[in-house]
Amino acid sequence: MIKKLSCILLFLTILLCGCEKKQEVFNDTLTSVRQKDLLTVGVKVDTPPFGFLDKKGNNVGFDIDLAKLIAQKILGDENKIVFVPVNTTNRIMKLSSGEVDLVVATMSITPQRKMILDFSIPYHTAGQAILVRKDSKITTLSDLRDKKVIIVYGSTVEKSLSSSVPNIQIIGYKTYPEAFAALKAGKADAMISDDTILMGFAYNDSSVKILPKRYSKEPYAVVFRKGEESEKLLETVNIELKEALNKGVIRQLKEKWKIN
Ligand code: GLU
């Protein structure tokens, strides 16, 4: 009898452990967002007009409006959202650690990033451009040979620049306002970043100019942790983005934030 009882107990323990394990293994992000009834999004606070803070300290910008559209689609309320500040350097870490459910932060799709992250369809395409002080003689990328150039750490240009211009001296900053202030203060000859980001800083500032040539294509997308856990969320975001692109909502948002 005792033997029989312990066999039953052992069987039940194995069964329960098995169930627990199954629940642990599959943790789908869309389902957990719906359970929490809250979407946690990594956004920029240093990159106008995509993600920045208004005078009252509210998160505003194109990427913020896009994140609200996603919250509306998933939870039926654009306010069921928590914004977590990320920058170019830490956004992948904040996503991978689970601190945020997704990232909407001027992030370009690249083959290297696709190895460790999943991306939505693109919602905007920027291009790298050169920003210089108004009186600068620099006109092209090759003029930057032996010169000092400002970039933001972790951005696509950090990788491409050293291989495209010989002897270029790269000066990195963690945030866009710091980088822009350094250019204005004369700490380098130029700053390189996405045209739409540079425009956000150069807008209404006659002390700097953006040179006309573009040196890359930067397709911005919503970013997810790689793998099965993000599949349903990614699919839902893509449906929303396609709809927003087709119905002209994205175009209207670009007009609102003066993005070309
Ligand atoms: N789009 C570029 C990137 O993903 C630069 C913008 C940014 O720093 O967020 O690296």
mmCIF file of all heavy atoms in Angstrom, residues 44 47 88 91 105-108 113 152 154-157 176 193-194 197 218 220, ligand 1:
data_model
loop_
_atom_site.group_PDB
_atom_site.id
_atom_site.type_symbol
_atom_site.label_atom_id
_atom_site.label_comp_id
_atom_site.label_asym_id
_atom_site.label_seq_id
_atom_site.Cartn_x
_atom_site.Cartn_y
_atom_site.Cartn_z
ATOM 1 N N LYS A 44 13.378 57.203 -27.480
ATOM 2 C CA LYS A 44 14.411 58.215 -27.283
ATOM 3 C C LYS A 44 13.847 59.412 -26.529
ATOM 4 O O LYS A 44 12.662 59.739 -26.676
ATOM 5 C CB LYS A 44 14.913 58.705 -28.654
ATOM 6 C CG LYS A 44 15.636 57.665 -29.507
ATOM 7 C CD LYS A 44 17.026 57.468 -28.979
ATOM 8 C CE LYS A 44 17.916 56.766 -29.971
ATOM 9 N NZ LYS A 44 18.395 57.575 -31.063
ATOM 10 N N THR A 47 16.275 62.762 -29.153
ATOM 11 C CA THR A 47 16.339 62.763 -30.616
ATOM 12 C C THR A 47 15.115 63.415 -31.262
ATOM 13 O O THR A 47 14.255 62.723 -31.818
ATOM 14 C CB THR A 47 16.506 61.302 -31.129
ATOM 15 O OG1 THR A 47 17.512 60.640 -30.352
ATOM 16 C CG2 THR A 47 16.928 61.259 -32.580
ATOM 17 N N THR A 88 20.915 55.518 -28.116
ATOM 18 C CA THR A 88 21.466 54.687 -29.176
ATOM 19 C C THR A 88 22.367 53.591 -28.608
ATOM 20 O O THR A 88 22.423 52.491 -29.131
ATOM 21 C CB THR A 88 22.234 55.589 -30.168
ATOM 22 O OG1 THR A 88 21.302 56.549 -30.681
ATOM 23 C CG2 THR A 88 22.821 54.815 -31.321
ATOM 24 N N ARG A 91 19.890 50.843 -26.146
ATOM 25 C CA ARG A 91 18.539 50.366 -26.510
ATOM 26 C C ARG A 91 18.481 48.849 -26.715
ATOM 27 O O ARG A 91 17.486 48.214 -26.340
ATOM 28 C CB ARG A 91 18.016 51.119 -27.738
ATOM 29 C CG ARG A 91 18.839 50.977 -28.968
ATOM 30 C CD ARG A 91 18.433 51.938 -30.075
ATOM 31 N NE ARG A 91 19.508 51.987 -31.060
ATOM 32 C CZ ARG A 91 19.550 52.810 -32.079
ATOM 33 N NH1 ARG A 91 18.591 53.688 -32.268
ATOM 34 N NH2 ARG A 91 20.557 52.773 -32.935
ATOM 35 N N ALA A 105 12.741 53.682 -31.753
ATOM 36 C CA ALA A 105 13.790 54.644 -31.406
ATOM 37 C C ALA A 105 14.766 54.892 -32.557
ATOM 38 O O ALA A 105 15.955 54.631 -32.430
ATOM 39 C CB ALA A 105 14.544 54.159 -30.168
ATOM 40 N N THR A 106 14.238 55.381 -33.673
ATOM 41 C CA THR A 106 15.063 55.740 -34.859
ATOM 42 C C THR A 106 16.047 54.629 -35.230
ATOM 43 O O THR A 106 17.148 54.904 -35.718
ATOM 44 C CB THR A 106 15.852 57.060 -34.653
ATOM 45 O OG1 THR A 106 16.828 56.882 -33.597
ATOM 46 C CG2 THR A 106 14.966 58.237 -34.362
ATOM 47 N N MET A 107 15.643 53.396 -35.021
ATOM 48 C CA MET A 107 16.615 52.308 -35.195
ATOM 49 C C MET A 107 16.520 51.704 -36.595
ATOM 50 O O MET A 107 15.457 51.252 -37.029
ATOM 51 C CB MET A 107 16.384 51.236 -34.140
ATOM 52 C CG MET A 107 17.520 50.250 -34.092
ATOM 53 S SD MET A 107 17.632 49.560 -32.452
ATOM 54 C CE MET A 107 18.891 48.352 -32.696
ATOM 55 N N SER A 108 17.656 51.691 -37.283
ATOM 56 C CA SER A 108 17.705 51.163 -38.654
ATOM 57 C C SER A 108 17.836 49.645 -38.659
ATOM 58 O O SER A 108 18.501 49.072 -37.797
ATOM 59 C CB SER A 108 18.935 51.702 -39.396
ATOM 60 O OG SER A 108 19.001 53.088 -39.312
ATOM 61 N N ARG A 113 22.396 43.634 -37.069
ATOM 62 C CA ARG A 113 21.372 43.718 -36.013
ATOM 63 C C ARG A 113 20.324 42.619 -36.186
ATOM 64 O O ARG A 113 19.776 42.122 -35.208
ATOM 65 C CB ARG A 113 20.710 45.099 -36.035
ATOM 66 C CG ARG A 113 21.625 46.201 -35.508
ATOM 67 C CD ARG A 113 20.993 47.573 -35.679
ATOM 68 N NE ARG A 113 21.852 48.630 -35.159
ATOM 69 C CZ ARG A 113 21.640 49.918 -35.369
ATOM 70 N NH1 ARG A 113 20.604 50.316 -36.083
ATOM 71 N NH2 ARG A 113 22.455 50.830 -34.868
ATOM 72 N N VAL A 152 27.452 59.516 -32.719
ATOM 73 C CA VAL A 152 26.889 59.012 -31.462
ATOM 74 C C VAL A 152 27.187 57.516 -31.378
ATOM 75 O O VAL A 152 26.983 56.773 -32.338
ATOM 76 C CB VAL A 152 25.371 59.324 -31.377
ATOM 77 C CG1 VAL A 152 24.712 58.546 -30.249
ATOM 78 C CG2 VAL A 152 25.172 60.827 -31.154
ATOM 79 N N GLY A 154 27.195 53.673 -31.001
ATOM 80 C CA GLY A 154 26.167 52.642 -31.229
ATOM 81 C C GLY A 154 25.341 52.895 -32.470
ATOM 82 O O GLY A 154 24.514 52.071 -32.839
ATOM 83 N N SER A 155 25.542 54.059 -33.127
ATOM 84 C CA SER A 155 24.754 54.340 -34.328
ATOM 85 C C SER A 155 25.417 53.672 -35.537
ATOM 86 O O SER A 155 26.595 53.315 -35.487
ATOM 87 C CB SER A 155 24.623 55.851 -34.544
ATOM 88 O OG SER A 155 25.884 56.430 -34.735
ATOM 89 N N THR A 156 24.658 53.514 -36.603
ATOM 90 C CA THR A 156 25.158 52.817 -37.794
ATOM 91 C C THR A 156 26.419 53.479 -38.354
ATOM 92 O O THR A 156 27.314 52.802 -38.834
ATOM 93 C CB THR A 156 24.071 52.782 -38.887
ATOM 94 O OG1 THR A 156 23.422 54.046 -38.913
ATOM 95 C CG2 THR A 156 23.056 51.697 -38.620
ATOM 96 N N VAL A 157 26.491 54.799 -38.244
ATOM 97 C CA VAL A 157 27.638 55.505 -38.829
ATOM 98 C C VAL A 157 28.943 55.181 -38.095
ATOM 99 O O VAL A 157 30.024 55.238 -38.686
ATOM 100 C CB VAL A 157 27.376 57.034 -38.898
ATOM 101 C CG1 VAL A 157 27.383 57.664 -37.528
ATOM 102 C CG2 VAL A 157 28.376 57.719 -39.799
ATOM 103 N N TYR A 176 22.559 62.675 -28.516
ATOM 104 C CA TYR A 176 22.562 63.626 -29.631
ATOM 105 C C TYR A 176 22.745 65.081 -29.192
ATOM 106 O O TYR A 176 23.509 65.812 -29.838
ATOM 107 C CB TYR A 176 21.296 63.429 -30.492
ATOM 108 C CG TYR A 176 21.485 62.243 -31.408
ATOM 109 C CD1 TYR A 176 21.035 60.986 -31.057
ATOM 110 C CD2 TYR A 176 22.197 62.376 -32.596
ATOM 111 C CE1 TYR A 176 21.267 59.882 -31.881
ATOM 112 C CE2 TYR A 176 22.436 61.291 -33.414
ATOM 113 C CZ TYR A 176 21.969 60.052 -33.051
ATOM 114 O OH TYR A 176 22.226 58.975 -33.867
ATOM 115 N N SER A 193 25.264 61.907 -39.016
ATOM 116 C CA SER A 193 24.147 61.116 -38.487
ATOM 117 C C SER A 193 23.059 61.066 -39.550
ATOM 118 O O SER A 193 23.257 61.531 -40.676
ATOM 119 C CB SER A 193 23.620 61.742 -37.202
ATOM 120 O OG SER A 193 22.603 60.915 -36.670
ATOM 121 N N ASP A 194 21.907 60.515 -39.176
ATOM 122 C CA ASP A 194 20.787 60.469 -40.118
ATOM 123 C C ASP A 194 20.295 61.886 -40.408
ATOM 124 O O ASP A 194 20.164 62.703 -39.477
ATOM 125 C CB ASP A 194 19.637 59.655 -39.520
ATOM 126 C CG ASP A 194 20.015 58.202 -39.303
ATOM 127 O OD1 ASP A 194 21.107 57.791 -39.752
ATOM 128 O OD2 ASP A 194 19.217 57.473 -38.693
ATOM 129 N N ILE A 197 17.493 63.269 -38.259
ATOM 130 C CA ILE A 197 17.881 63.616 -36.880
ATOM 131 C C ILE A 197 18.636 64.951 -36.893
ATOM 132 O O ILE A 197 18.359 65.852 -36.092
ATOM 133 C CB ILE A 197 18.750 62.502 -36.254
ATOM 134 C CG1 ILE A 197 17.913 61.229 -36.095
ATOM 135 C CG2 ILE A 197 19.337 62.949 -34.914
ATOM 136 C CD1 ILE A 197 18.654 60.048 -35.508
ATOM 137 N N GLU A 218 18.765 54.340 -44.376
ATOM 138 C CA GLU A 218 18.520 53.922 -42.983
ATOM 139 C C GLU A 218 17.036 53.618 -42.798
ATOM 140 O O GLU A 218 16.246 54.513 -42.470
ATOM 141 C CB GLU A 218 18.933 55.058 -42.022
ATOM 142 C CG GLU A 218 20.352 55.541 -42.149
ATOM 143 C CD GLU A 218 21.382 54.536 -41.635
ATOM 144 O OE1 GLU A 218 21.076 53.766 -40.712
ATOM 145 O OE2 GLU A 218 22.501 54.521 -42.187
ATOM 146 N N TYR A 220 14.053 52.783 -40.823
ATOM 147 C CA TYR A 220 13.672 52.718 -39.404
ATOM 148 C C TYR A 220 12.556 51.694 -39.218
ATOM 149 O O TYR A 220 11.599 51.656 -39.990
ATOM 150 C CB TYR A 220 13.120 54.065 -38.920
ATOM 151 C CG TYR A 220 14.126 55.180 -38.778
ATOM 152 C CD1 TYR A 220 15.440 55.050 -39.185
ATOM 153 C CD2 TYR A 220 13.734 56.400 -38.221
ATOM 154 C CE1 TYR A 220 16.342 56.092 -39.045
ATOM 155 C CE2 TYR A 220 14.629 57.452 -38.082
ATOM 156 C CZ TYR A 220 15.937 57.291 -38.500
ATOM 157 O OH TYR A 220 16.812 58.333 -38.362
HETATM 158 N N1 GLU B 1 19.355 55.140 -37.542
HETATM 159 C C1 GLU B 1 20.665 55.058 -37.016
HETATM 160 C C2 GLU B 1 20.842 53.833 -36.165
HETATM 161 O O1 GLU B 1 19.957 53.058 -36.017
HETATM 162 C C3 GLU B 1 21.071 56.292 -36.248
HETATM 163 C C4 GLU B 1 20.014 56.832 -35.359
HETATM 164 C C5 GLU B 1 20.200 56.523 -33.896
HETATM 165 O O2 GLU B 1 21.277 56.754 -33.359
HETATM 166 O O3 GLU B 1 19.237 56.105 -33.301
HETATM 167 O O4 GLU B 1 21.902 53.606 -35.659
#
